[in-house]
Amino acid sequence: MNIINRLIGEIYGSTFPSGHLQRLHALIAAARTGIHPPRKAHWDEKDVVLITYADQVREDNTPTLTTFSCFYRQYLQASFNLVHLLPFFPSSSDDGFAVIDYHQVNPPYGGWQEIADLHQHTRLMFDFVCNHMSAHSSWFSHYLAQDVGWDDFFISQPPTADLSAVTRPRTSPLLTPFVLADGKTRFIWTTFSADQVDLNYANPDVLLNMVRVLLDYLQRGADYLRLDAVGYMWKTPGTSCIHLEKTHLLVKLFRAIIDKVAAGAVLLTETNVPHRDNIRYFGNGRDEAQMVYQFPLPPLVLHAIHRGSSRALRHWASSLDGGGGSTTFFNFLASHDGIGLNPLRGILPEGEIIALAQDLAQEGAQISWKTDTDGTSSPYEINVTYLDALNKQQDSDDTRLQRFLLAHGLLLAFPGVPAVYVQSILGSRNDIEGMKVTGQNRAINRQKYALCDIRRALATTGSLRQRIYTALSQLIQVRKGQPAFHPDNPMRLVDSDDTLLVMQRQAKDPQDTLWCVFNVSASTVSYRLPEPRDYHDAIGGEKIDGKQDMALGAWQFRWLRA
C-alpha cells in the first residue's frame, strides 16, 4: 500500500482526510477477496479484440446481450478472444458515454447476469468513463439539489473566467448554465456536451466513488479497462487542462490499485491526441497504462492507400517503440468514433490533413470540427465507415475488397494487440439514414441490426458484406497462427519504393520470422526480398522464390515465411 499512499500524497497533499484513506484501503482489501479467477498474465499473437455495442444485434422480447452472445458464438468467437463492450450502462446521450449509473446495466440490454453469461465465452473490456457523467444522473441531481456532501462533485466556474487556454475537443461551450435549488445559476464544466458534466477529482469524495466503480468492474469480470477521455480528468484553470501531471498521477493510482486486486488486468488509455502526448501514458513502462491506442495508425493507413504512397506511414512507423514487453499498443483502424485527425498533427503538414478530409467529404464522409485556442476551427474527426473511407463511390466491389483487406493486413501485422470494429468485420457501408435520424455525424458508423437481417446478409453468397466477413475472418485466423506477430516481437522496416511498405517481424525462433510486403498503390510493383531464399505465403500458401523479383498486384500484400 506504500505506492498508493505515496500517490495520494502527491495528488492531494494534506487535503485527503485520513478517514478517506482508511476507506480507500478498506475498499481495496475487500475487492482482493472477491476477484476470481486470475486474468491472463500477458498478451500474445492470438489476442484479437472485437469492438462492439451491447445492442449491436437485436431480436424481439430478448435482452440484446443475450442476442449478441448467441451471434458472437456463431459468427465471431473463432476470430476474437476479447470483446470490448462499449458502455452498456444506463445513459442519456452519446451512445452510452453520458452514463447515468455506473453500477447498472441498461435494462434493454439485460443485467449483470447477461454480462457474466457472455464472459463465459470470451474475455471482456469495460469502459471506465472516468472524466464525466450524465447531467441526468443521481449524482448530479444531488448536486443541483445542494444536498449535503455533494457540493464539490462537479466543477463550476464564473462565466467571466478566462478559460481561453483550455484544450477544446468540441465546438460546444465549455461551461453550461444550470439552476440549483437555491435558484442561483452555476456554470458547470462540460468538456464534451451539455449533457456530460465533468467530475471534480480535486474532491476526495469523487475519487473514492470512482474507485468503487473501478473495483466493481473488476469484480464483475473486466479483463481490460478502457479509460475514456482520460486526458481531461484534472482541471487547473489557466492551463490547457489536458494531460496535466495530476491526471497522470491519477492513472498511476488506478494502475496501482488494479495491480493490487486483479493482477493481469490491463489498463488502456483513450487519448486521441498527437503521438508524443499519447505515449506518455505508458509512464515509465510499468507504473501507468499497459496499453495506449495507436491513434495515428487509422488516418496514416488511409492516407497511404489514398495517395498510393507509404512514405508518411513508413517514416512514422520507423520510430515506434512499444515498451519492450511491459507495454504495447492497441492497434485499430475503425471504432465507434470517427477517424481522428489530431494524431496526424506533427506527422503530416496541415494542408495534407485538410486535403484528406476534403477528399473524403466529397465521397460522402462527414467532418467534425474543433475550436482552436485562437478561435478558429480545424477538422478534428472524419465520420465514415472504414470501408467507405478507403474507396470512392464509383469503385467496384472487387476494388473495395482489395483495399479493405490490404488495410487490415497492415493492422494485423503491426506490433501490438489488434482490434477490429464490428462494422468492419460485418462489411458495413455508411449509414446515411441513421445519421439523418439522429442528427449526429458519428451515427454514420454505428448502425444496429436485427438478428435475422444480419444473418441473412452474411449468408448472401457473393455479396460484399459476405465476402468481407469471410475474407477478414480467414485473415485473422492466419494471423493468430503466426508467432512472429506476438505483440512483443520487434518490427524492422526496410527501405523500399514509396509504393511499398516492407517490414520484418522477428520471432524468437528464426524459422517463425515473417517478411510482410504491402503494395499500397493501384499499380503492379516488383520487389526482391533482402534475404534470397525460398519462402511461402502464410496467407495463400504459394511458394515464393526469394532469389527473384516478386510481383505484387494493385493493393496486394504477402506475409512470407522462410
Side-chain angles (χ1 to χ4, degrees), residues 456-489:
R456 186 182 307 113
L458 292 175
T460 303
T461 303
S463 68
L464 181 60
R465 192 186 290 279
Q466 187 268 343
R467 292 171 69 191
I468 283 176
Y469 165 77
T470 300
L472 184 52
S473 298
Q474 291 172 349
L475 187 62
I476 292 170
Q477 287 300 316
V478 174
R479 194 260 186 200
K480 292 168 70 173
Q482 308 304 316
F485 285 144
H486 190 292
D488 295 345
N489 285 338

Short mmCIF file of all heavy atoms in Angstrom, two decimals, residues 456-489:
data_model
loop_
_atom_site.label_atom_id
_atom_site.label_comp_id
_atom_site.label_asym_id
_atom_site.label_seq_id
_atom_site.Cartn_x
_atom_site.Cartn_y
_atom_site.Cartn_z
N ARG A 456 -29.12 -13.07 -42.55
CA ARG A 456 -29.45 -13.23 -43.97
C ARG A 456 -28.38 -12.58 -44.85
O ARG A 456 -27.96 -13.16 -45.87
CB ARG A 456 -30.82 -12.61 -44.25
CG ARG A 456 -31.34 -12.84 -45.68
CD ARG A 456 -32.67 -12.15 -45.90
NE ARG A 456 -33.65 -12.53 -44.89
CZ ARG A 456 -34.14 -11.68 -43.97
NH1 ARG A 456 -33.75 -10.42 -43.95
NH2 ARG A 456 -35.02 -12.09 -43.10
N ALA A 457 -27.92 -11.40 -44.45
CA ALA A 457 -26.91 -10.69 -45.25
C ALA A 457 -25.59 -11.46 -45.29
O ALA A 457 -24.94 -11.54 -46.34
CB ALA A 457 -26.69 -9.29 -44.67
N LEU A 458 -25.20 -12.04 -44.16
CA LEU A 458 -23.94 -12.78 -44.12
C LEU A 458 -24.03 -14.11 -44.87
O LEU A 458 -23.01 -14.69 -45.22
CB LEU A 458 -23.53 -13.03 -42.67
CG LEU A 458 -23.12 -11.79 -41.87
CD1 LEU A 458 -22.86 -12.14 -40.41
CD2 LEU A 458 -21.88 -11.13 -42.49
N ALA A 459 -25.24 -14.55 -45.11
CA ALA A 459 -25.43 -15.80 -45.85
C ALA A 459 -25.64 -15.57 -47.35
O ALA A 459 -25.77 -16.54 -48.10
CB ALA A 459 -26.63 -16.56 -45.29
N THR A 460 -25.66 -14.30 -47.78
CA THR A 460 -25.90 -13.99 -49.18
C THR A 460 -24.61 -14.15 -49.97
O THR A 460 -23.74 -13.26 -49.97
CB THR A 460 -26.46 -12.56 -49.34
OG1 THR A 460 -27.65 -12.43 -48.56
CG2 THR A 460 -26.76 -12.25 -50.80
N THR A 461 -24.45 -15.28 -50.62
CA THR A 461 -23.21 -15.60 -51.33
C THR A 461 -22.90 -14.55 -52.39
O THR A 461 -23.77 -14.18 -53.19
CB THR A 461 -23.32 -16.97 -51.99
OG1 THR A 461 -23.62 -17.94 -50.98
CG2 THR A 461 -22.01 -17.36 -52.67
N GLY A 462 -21.66 -14.08 -52.39
CA GLY A 462 -21.21 -13.13 -53.39
C GLY A 462 -21.44 -11.68 -53.04
O GLY A 462 -20.93 -10.79 -53.73
N SER A 463 -22.20 -11.40 -51.96
CA SER A 463 -22.40 -10.01 -51.56
C SER A 463 -21.11 -9.46 -50.97
O SER A 463 -20.28 -10.21 -50.44
CB SER A 463 -23.53 -9.90 -50.54
OG SER A 463 -23.15 -10.50 -49.31
N LEU A 464 -20.92 -8.16 -51.05
CA LEU A 464 -19.72 -7.55 -50.49
C LEU A 464 -19.63 -7.82 -49.00
O LEU A 464 -18.55 -8.13 -48.48
CB LEU A 464 -19.70 -6.05 -50.77
CG LEU A 464 -18.47 -5.29 -50.24
CD1 LEU A 464 -17.18 -5.82 -50.86
CD2 LEU A 464 -18.61 -3.78 -50.49
N ARG A 465 -20.73 -7.72 -48.30
CA ARG A 465 -20.72 -7.97 -46.85
C ARG A 465 -20.24 -9.39 -46.55
O ARG A 465 -19.39 -9.60 -45.68
CB ARG A 465 -22.11 -7.74 -46.26
CG ARG A 465 -22.11 -7.70 -44.74
CD ARG A 465 -23.51 -7.63 -44.18
NE ARG A 465 -24.21 -6.37 -44.38
CZ ARG A 465 -24.04 -5.29 -43.64
NH1 ARG A 465 -23.16 -5.30 -42.65
NH2 ARG A 465 -24.76 -4.20 -43.87
N GLN A 466 -20.77 -10.35 -47.28
CA GLN A 466 -20.38 -11.75 -47.03
C GLN A 466 -18.92 -11.99 -47.41
O GLN A 466 -18.19 -12.70 -46.69
CB GLN A 466 -21.30 -12.67 -47.83
CG GLN A 466 -21.13 -14.15 -47.53
CD GLN A 466 -20.13 -14.82 -48.47
OE1 GLN A 466 -19.80 -14.29 -49.54
NE2 GLN A 466 -19.63 -15.98 -48.06
N ARG A 467 -18.48 -11.38 -48.48
CA ARG A 467 -17.08 -11.56 -48.92
C ARG A 467 -16.11 -10.96 -47.90
O ARG A 467 -15.07 -11.55 -47.61
CB ARG A 467 -16.88 -10.93 -50.29
CG ARG A 467 -17.61 -11.64 -51.41
CD ARG A 467 -17.56 -10.84 -52.71
NE ARG A 467 -16.22 -10.82 -53.27
CZ ARG A 467 -15.85 -10.03 -54.28
NH1 ARG A 467 -16.72 -9.15 -54.79
NH2 ARG A 467 -14.62 -10.09 -54.75
N ILE A 468 -16.45 -9.79 -47.40
CA ILE A 468 -15.57 -9.15 -46.41
C ILE A 468 -15.55 -9.96 -45.11
O ILE A 468 -14.47 -10.22 -44.55
CB ILE A 468 -16.03 -7.71 -46.14
CG1 ILE A 468 -15.59 -6.82 -47.30
CG2 ILE A 468 -15.47 -7.18 -44.81
CD1 ILE A 468 -16.06 -5.38 -47.21
N TYR A 469 -16.71 -10.37 -44.63
CA TYR A 469 -16.76 -11.17 -43.39
C TYR A 469 -15.92 -12.43 -43.53
O TYR A 469 -15.11 -12.76 -42.65
CB TYR A 469 -18.21 -11.51 -43.06
CG TYR A 469 -18.32 -12.60 -42.03
CD1 TYR A 469 -18.09 -12.33 -40.68
CD2 TYR A 469 -18.60 -13.92 -42.41
CE1 TYR A 469 -18.17 -13.35 -39.74
CE2 TYR A 469 -18.67 -14.93 -41.47
CZ TYR A 469 -18.45 -14.64 -40.13
OH TYR A 469 -18.51 -15.64 -39.20
N THR A 470 -16.07 -13.13 -44.65
CA THR A 470 -15.35 -14.40 -44.84
C THR A 470 -13.85 -14.15 -44.96
O THR A 470 -13.04 -14.83 -44.30
CB THR A 470 -15.87 -15.11 -46.09
OG1 THR A 470 -17.27 -15.38 -45.94
CG2 THR A 470 -15.13 -16.41 -46.32
N ALA A 471 -13.45 -13.19 -45.81
CA ALA A 471 -12.03 -12.97 -46.05
C ALA A 471 -11.32 -12.42 -44.82
O ALA A 471 -10.20 -12.84 -44.51
CB ALA A 471 -11.85 -12.01 -47.23
N LEU A 472 -11.95 -11.48 -44.11
CA LEU A 472 -11.30 -10.92 -42.93
C LEU A 472 -11.23 -11.94 -41.81
O LEU A 472 -10.22 -12.03 -41.09
CB LEU A 472 -12.03 -9.65 -42.48
CG LEU A 472 -11.42 -8.90 -41.29
CD1 LEU A 472 -9.93 -8.62 -41.51
CD2 LEU A 472 -12.17 -7.60 -41.03
N SER A 473 -12.26 -12.75 -41.65
CA SER A 473 -12.22 -13.82 -40.64
C SER A 473 -11.07 -14.79 -40.93
O SER A 473 -10.35 -15.20 -40.01
CB SER A 473 -13.56 -14.58 -40.62
OG SER A 473 -14.62 -13.74 -40.25
N GLN A 474 -10.89 -15.14 -42.18
CA GLN A 474 -9.80 -16.05 -42.56
C GLN A 474 -8.45 -15.41 -42.31
O GLN A 474 -7.50 -16.07 -41.84
CB GLN A 474 -9.96 -16.45 -44.02
CG GLN A 474 -11.15 -17.35 -44.28
CD GLN A 474 -11.41 -17.59 -45.76
OE1 GLN A 474 -10.83 -16.91 -46.63
NE2 GLN A 474 -12.28 -18.53 -46.07
N LEU A 475 -8.32 -14.11 -42.62
CA LEU A 475 -7.05 -13.42 -42.41
C LEU A 475 -6.70 -13.37 -40.92
O LEU A 475 -5.53 -13.56 -40.55
CB LEU A 475 -7.14 -12.00 -42.98
CG LEU A 475 -5.85 -11.18 -43.00
CD1 LEU A 475 -4.79 -11.84 -43.88
CD2 LEU A 475 -6.13 -9.75 -43.48
N ILE A 476 -7.68 -13.14 -40.08
CA ILE A 476 -7.43 -13.13 -38.64
C ILE A 476 -6.97 -14.50 -38.16
O ILE A 476 -6.06 -14.62 -37.33
CB ILE A 476 -8.70 -12.67 -37.87
CG1 ILE A 476 -8.98 -11.19 -38.15
CG2 ILE A 476 -8.54 -12.92 -36.37
CD1 ILE A 476 -10.32 -10.71 -37.64
N GLN A 477 -7.57 -15.56 -38.70
CA GLN A 477 -7.15 -16.91 -38.32
C GLN A 477 -5.70 -17.15 -38.69
O GLN A 477 -4.94 -17.74 -37.91
CB GLN A 477 -8.04 -17.94 -39.01
CG GLN A 477 -9.44 -18.03 -38.43
CD GLN A 477 -9.44 -18.41 -36.97
OE1 GLN A 477 -8.72 -19.31 -36.54
NE2 GLN A 477 -10.22 -17.69 -36.17
N VAL A 478 -5.28 -16.71 -39.87
CA VAL A 478 -3.88 -16.86 -40.27
C VAL A 478 -2.99 -16.09 -39.30
O VAL A 478 -1.95 -16.59 -38.85
CB VAL A 478 -3.67 -16.37 -41.71
CG1 VAL A 478 -2.18 -16.38 -42.07
CG2 VAL A 478 -4.44 -17.25 -42.69
N ARG A 479 -3.37 -14.88 -38.99
CA ARG A 479 -2.58 -14.03 -38.09
C ARG A 479 -2.36 -14.71 -36.74
O ARG A 479 -1.26 -14.68 -36.18
CB ARG A 479 -3.32 -12.70 -37.89
CG ARG A 479 -2.48 -11.60 -37.27
CD ARG A 479 -2.70 -11.41 -35.82
NE ARG A 479 -1.93 -10.24 -35.39
CZ ARG A 479 -1.57 -10.00 -34.14
NH1 ARG A 479 -1.90 -10.83 -33.18
NH2 ARG A 479 -0.87 -8.93 -33.84
N LYS A 480 -3.41 -15.31 -36.19
CA LYS A 480 -3.33 -15.92 -34.87
C LYS A 480 -2.40 -17.13 -34.85
O LYS A 480 -1.97 -17.56 -33.78
CB LYS A 480 -4.73 -16.31 -34.40
CG LYS A 480 -5.62 -15.09 -34.13
CD LYS A 480 -7.08 -15.46 -33.95
CE LYS A 480 -7.33 -16.21 -32.67
NZ LYS A 480 -8.80 -16.40 -32.43
N GLY A 481 -2.08 -17.66 -36.02
CA GLY A 481 -1.18 -18.81 -36.10
C GLY A 481 0.27 -18.45 -36.36
O GLY A 481 1.09 -19.35 -36.58
N GLN A 482 0.61 -17.16 -36.32
CA GLN A 482 1.98 -16.73 -36.62
C GLN A 482 2.67 -16.21 -35.36
O GLN A 482 2.38 -15.10 -34.91
CB GLN A 482 1.98 -15.63 -37.69
CG GLN A 482 1.20 -15.96 -38.94
CD GLN A 482 1.67 -17.23 -39.60
OE1 GLN A 482 2.88 -17.48 -39.72
NE2 GLN A 482 0.72 -18.07 -40.01
N PRO A 483 3.59 -16.97 -34.76
CA PRO A 483 4.29 -16.50 -33.57
C PRO A 483 5.03 -15.18 -33.78
O PRO A 483 5.23 -14.42 -32.82
CB PRO A 483 5.28 -17.64 -33.26
CG PRO A 483 4.66 -18.85 -33.89
CD PRO A 483 3.97 -18.36 -35.12
N ALA A 484 5.40 -14.87 -35.03
CA ALA A 484 6.11 -13.61 -35.30
C ALA A 484 5.26 -12.41 -34.93
O ALA A 484 5.79 -11.32 -34.64
CB ALA A 484 6.51 -13.53 -36.77
N PHE A 485 3.94 -12.57 -34.93
CA PHE A 485 3.04 -11.45 -34.64
C PHE A 485 2.79 -11.27 -33.15
O PHE A 485 1.91 -10.47 -32.77
CB PHE A 485 1.72 -11.63 -35.39
CG PHE A 485 1.80 -11.35 -36.87
CD1 PHE A 485 1.06 -12.11 -37.77
CD2 PHE A 485 2.61 -10.34 -37.36
CE1 PHE A 485 1.13 -11.86 -39.14
CE2 PHE A 485 2.68 -10.08 -38.72
CZ PHE A 485 1.94 -10.84 -39.61
N HIS A 486 3.50 -11.99 -32.31
CA HIS A 486 3.39 -11.71 -30.88
C HIS A 486 3.65 -10.21 -30.67
O HIS A 486 4.60 -9.65 -31.23
CB HIS A 486 4.42 -12.53 -30.10
CG HIS A 486 4.23 -12.49 -28.61
ND1 HIS A 486 4.42 -11.34 -27.86
CD2 HIS A 486 3.86 -13.46 -27.73
CE1 HIS A 486 4.19 -11.60 -26.59
NE2 HIS A 486 3.83 -12.88 -26.48
N PRO A 487 2.81 -9.51 -29.89
CA PRO A 487 2.96 -8.06 -29.74
C PRO A 487 4.33 -7.60 -29.28
O PRO A 487 4.74 -6.47 -29.58
CB PRO A 487 1.89 -7.70 -28.71
CG PRO A 487 0.83 -8.75 -28.89
CD PRO A 487 1.59 -10.00 -29.21
N ASP A 488 5.05 -8.45 -28.56
CA ASP A 488 6.36 -8.05 -28.04
C ASP A 488 7.48 -8.22 -29.06
O ASP A 488 8.60 -7.73 -28.84
CB ASP A 488 6.70 -8.86 -26.79
CG ASP A 488 5.76 -8.57 -25.63
OD1 ASP A 488 5.04 -7.57 -25.69
OD2 ASP A 488 5.76 -9.36 -24.67
N ASN A 489 7.23 -8.92 -30.16
CA ASN A 489 8.29 -9.12 -31.15
C ASN A 489 8.56 -7.84 -31.92
O ASN A 489 7.63 -7.13 -32.30
CB ASN A 489 7.90 -10.25 -32.12
CG ASN A 489 8.03 -11.62 -31.50
OD1 ASN A 489 8.76 -11.79 -30.51
ND2 ASN A 489 7.32 -12.59 -32.05
#
